[in-house]
């Protein structure tokens, strides 16, 4: 998001799916590089509303492997890389 590439990634996702959900209020997973391994509370707090937001989804996408770990754990669906 800081690089201003969000819309391009959303456009790519929409080419792959007829239903793209972008959870409101979640702008960062809170994994903070590798800090999610040692301070999982950061990730848990950042993603506390994710499971409800993606309950109708069967899979999720991300652009960061460590984000995918936290998103999968807290979203209740499998997240994988967009590329």
């Amino acid at each position: 998001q800081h690089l201003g590439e969000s819309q391009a990634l959303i456009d790519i996702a929409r080419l792959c799916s007829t239903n793209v959900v972008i959870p409101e209020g979640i702008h960062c997973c809170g994994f903070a590089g590798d800090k999610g391994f040692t301070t999982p509370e950061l990730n848990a707090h950042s993603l506390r509303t994710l499971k409800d937001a993606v309950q109708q989804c069967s899979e999720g996408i991300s652009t960061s492997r460590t984000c995918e770990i936290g998103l999968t754990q807290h979203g209740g669906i499998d997240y994988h890389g967009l590329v």
Side-chain angles (χ1 to χ4, degrees):
Q1 290 183 358
H2 293 282
L3 297 174
E5 297 176 354
S6 297
Q7 189 58 52
L9 296 171
I10 292 167
D11 292 344
I12 292 169
R14 287 194 171 126
L15 292 172
C16 301
S17 177
T18 57
N19 184 28
V20 174
V21 174
I22 303 162
E24 290 185 34
I26 299 175
H27 305 289
C28 175
C29 75
F31 214 88
D34 63 356
K35 290 188 184 194
F37 293 118
T38 57
T39 312
E41 300 85 1
L42 292 172
N43 187 239
H45 181 73
S46 292
L47 300 178
R48 65 192 178 280
T49 62
L50 180 63
K51 193 167 192 170
D52 288 340
V54 298
Q55 64 185 348
Q56 74 279 11
C57 300
S58 59
E59 66 181 318
I61 58 170
S62 177
T63 57
S64 166
R65 182 63 190 125
T66 53
C67 291
E68 292 162 27
I69 293 167
L71 291 164
T72 296
Q73 181 180 2
H74 296 286
I77 58 174
D78 288 332
Y79 273 79
H80 54 86
L82 176 62
V83 176

